[in-house]
Amino acid sequence: MDVPRPAFKCFDDDGRPKRSGTVWTASAHILTAVIGSGVLSLAWAIAQLGWIAGPAVMFLFSFVTYYSTTLLSDCYRTGDPVSGKRNYTYMDAVQSILGGFRFKICGLMQFLNLFGTTIGYTIASSISMMAIKRSNCFHESGGKNPCHMSSNPYMIMFGVTEILLSTIKDFHQIWWLSTVAAIMSFTYSSIGLALANGVFKGSLTGISIGAVTQTQKIWRTFQALGDIAFAYSYSVVLIEIQDTVRSPPAESKTMKNATRISIAVTTTFYMLCGCMGYAAFGDAAPGNLLTGFGFYNPFWLLDVANAAIVVHLVGAYQVFAQPIFAFVEKQAAARFPDSDLVSKELEIRFPGVRSPYKVNVFRTVFRSCFVVLTTVISMLMPFFNDVVGILGALAFWPLTVYFPVEMYIKQRKVERWSMKWVCLQMLSCGCLVVTVVAGVGSVVGVMLDLKVYKPFKTTY
């Protein structure tokens, strides 16, 4: 006689609580990760490349990102795409499929990118908060006060908020934060698009020699590639997002649908915001589109847009920080399994709340220290545009292209020197060249910034 097993309805095949994510929650996570502060630098990037190369490069990056992420989504399970062993993180997938030295290199690259992205988001959020304050100050003084101020207090405010949100245990519990953040990203992108409409400036080849030197033109073109790459950078958290998705249908199928929706929506917004921003400003397109509008009316609409950016980046920070939190806490639990500081959950009860709030000492201390560290580094290097370019260059080839391609070849047993193998390797080599030139351009930009900026003393 068959015995009913209702308890198993609450668990997945790996014994973990049943995942409940859908194509829509996965899309929200992706949009939160991908439509970040990078969208604000796209007008500047297109200004360096011009009306021909700018949109062409953006379409190229969108295609490469979409194709490589479909390859990566097939690597969530090792072996059988429906019943194979689950890989909970990007690093798990690389270790399971490629193993060895490449696993260590992947971990280093992934966590450097995640760590750097949280720094970039801290800088971007402080710029938007200052833009609100300066706009109101400017209008209250009737335009007489230049309203210069330091970004440090705003970075500290952002850091305190992230410390509080970092008490959320894991990725599965932040779906609501991603949904709010995704809505905010559409809000400020739409406002930027609306404000940029009405004029048409720019040229076919971008900013002209004379406005900048020939050397600057080359470095800026390279940096623009890094900025666009950063705007599409989310492969680094794709496996973690896929691990929130329920099955059936197969997780890879759901993730491919979510990726298709997200890339289509993202590219549409990027093309509109980047192109309209360039049309509005021409060669003078700013590194941050919304702050580039200065103190023009309607200033309250710019305040709304900048507030939406801050809310979005609060959520996006968590999307990129959670994989780091999960990895460090997993390693600590494996190394110190008997330590109460690492494994014991303390229960705190609040009046009127039925279920207790659970706190882990190690988790709380480590996550707080992580946020403090990213905040301090942001205060040391508060230049947004060049940091964005370096992050894009750092992540694009190794994490968006190389590892997904190599895992797909190994997983699907693609024969060496076959047409498919050759095409995949050509794609990887081409993207490596883009990464190198973008990285060089962005490093040069940072070196020039360091000659001007003074740590903890920079004002805007």
Side-chain angles (χ1 to χ4, degrees):
M1 185 175 71
D2 292 334
V3 179
R5 296 182 294 175
F8 287 99
K9 293 181 179 179
C10 300
F11 298 92
D12 275 324
D13 55 5
D14 58 348
R16 295 194 175 189
K18 199 161 188 68
R19 294 157 177 83
S20 58
T22 65
V23 65
W24 301 113
T25 60
S27 297
H29 281 310
I30 293 172
L31 289 170
T32 300
V34 74
I35 304 185
S37 54
V39 69
L40 302 175
S41 66
L42 290 178
W44 180 89
I46 291 182
Q48 312 314 308
L49 300 170
W51 282 117
I52 297 176
V57 167
M58 204 173 293
F59 273 121
L60 177 63
F61 274 87
S62 68
F63 170 76
V64 171
T65 302
Y66 171 71
Y67 182 69
S68 64
T69 50
T70 59
L71 300 182
L72 184 59
S73 63
D74 284 331
C75 300
Y76 173 65
R77 289 183 182 267
T78 302
D80 190 275
V82 176
S83 59
K85 174 183 171 293
R86 293 176 186 262
N87 297 305
Y88 302 117
T89 66
Y90 193 110
M91 282 185 65
D92 286 347
V94 174
Q95 184 177 32
S96 175
I97 298 170
L98 298 177
F101 181 69
R102 284 189 286 187
F103 160 68
K104 295 178 181 179
I105 293 296
C106 169
L108 177 64
M109 298 301 295
Q110 183 187 16
F111 291 130
L112 277 175
N113 178 257
L114 292 170
F115 183 69
T117 301
T118 58
I119 293 171
Y121 284 176
T122 303
I123 296 170
S125 68
S126 70
I127 290 173
S128 288
M129 284 189 274
M130 283 193 300
I132 296 172
K133 180 69 174 177
R134 291 182 68 189
S135 174
N136 294 334
C137 167
F138 185 81
H139 282 86
E140 286 172 3
S141 67
K144 298 176 182 178
N145 188 346
C147 302
H148 293 302
M149 61 188 68
S150 170
S151 61
N152 293 345
Y154 301 96
M155 291 186 187
I156 293 170
M157 287 169 57
F158 185 82
V160 170
T161 303
E162 293 303 338
I163 287 176
L164 296 175
L165 287 174
S166 292
T167 59
I168 299 173
K169 188 174 181 180
D170 55 36
F171 231 128
H172 302 273
Q173 298 176 14
I174 64 170
W175 63 269
W176 59 271
L177 189 59
S178 287
T179 302
V180 171
I183 293 171
M184 292 299 103
S185 69
F186 286 119
T187 300
Y188 68 71
S189 298
S190 299
I191 292 173
L193 175 62
L195 289 172
N197 201 11
V199 292
F200 193 92
K201 298 180 181 178
S203 65
L204 295 180
T205 57
I207 191 167
S208 57
I209 306 296
V212 294
T213 66
Q214 187 170 1
T215 303
Q216 286 177 321
K217 172 74 173 177
I218 294 172
W219 294 135
R220 285 181 169 215
T221 299
F222 289 170
Q223 186 184 335
L225 296 176
D227 283 7
I228 296 175
F230 177 75
Y232 279 104
S233 177
Y234 76 95
S235 298
V236 69
V237 293
L238 183 132
I239 296 291
E240 284 82 350
I241 293 172
Q242 193 165 344
D243 190 46
T244 68
V245 173
R246 69 188 179 202
S247 62
E251 298 89 353
S252 59
K253 182 178 180 181
T254 301
M255 206 62 198
K256 287 175 183 177
N257 288 334
T259 296
R260 191 177 300 114
I261 293 169
S262 302
I263 292 293
V265 171
T266 298
T267 302
T268 300
F269 262 80
Y270 280 4
M271 289 297 293
L272 288 172
C273 289
C275 292
M276 291 298 185
Y278 181 39
F281 291 102
D283 288 352
N288 184 319
L289 179 62
L290 287 174
T291 56
F293 284 107
F295 307 121
Y296 305 145
N297 285 313
F299 74 95
W300 61 268
L301 189 59
L302 283 170
D303 288 353
V304 170
N306 280 301
I309 291 175
V310 174
V311 174
H312 173 259
L313 294 179
V314 164
Y317 185 104
Q318 288 299 313
V319 169
F320 281 88
Q322 286 289 340
I324 299 178
F325 297 160
F327 174 78
V328 172
E329 289 158 16
K330 179 181 176 182
Q331 295 298 313
R335 189 162 185 175
F336 307 104
D338 301 322
S339 172
D340 287 345
L341 288 175
V342 175
S343 58
K344 188 175 181 180
E345 298 275 356
L346 304 176
E347 294 188 350
I348 301 176
R349 295 187 177 274
F350 295 98
V353 180
R354 181 178 298 178
S355 57
Y357 181 73
K358 294 183 178 181
V359 176
N360 174 270
V361 175
F362 175 78
R363 183 170 68 234
T364 302
V365 172
F366 165 69
R367 294 186 179 196
S368 299
C369 289
F370 175 88
V371 175
V372 169
L373 180 60
T374 58
T375 303
V376 170
I377 293 175
S378 300
M379 292 161 69
L380 281 168
M381 298 192 308
F383 28 87
F384 172 68
N385 225 43
D386 297 319
V387 171
V388 162
I390 289 179
L391 293 174
L394 183 67
F396 181 65
W397 176 70
L399 300 176
T400 302
V401 181
Y402 174 75
F403 285 113
V405 164
E406 292 300 312
M407 286 192 289
Y408 180 82
I409 289 173
K410 183 82 176 285
Q411 182 101 312
R412 293 301 177 90
K413 297 180 173 60
V414 178
E415 187 177 346
R416 185 182 289 266
W417 299 114
S418 65
M419 180 61 72
K420 190 169 190 178
W421 184 90
V422 170
C423 289
L424 288 170
Q425 295 300 335
M426 287 175 63
L427 171 67
S428 184
C429 290
C431 292
L432 172 60
V433 173
V434 171
T435 286
V436 170
V437 299
V440 170
S442 297
V443 168
V444 170
V446 168
M447 291 173 64
L448 294 173
D449 284 334
L450 288 172
K451 294 179 180 179
V452 178
Y453 287 97
K454 295 180 180 179
F456 302 111
K457 296 180 181 180
T458 300
T459 58
Y460 293 86

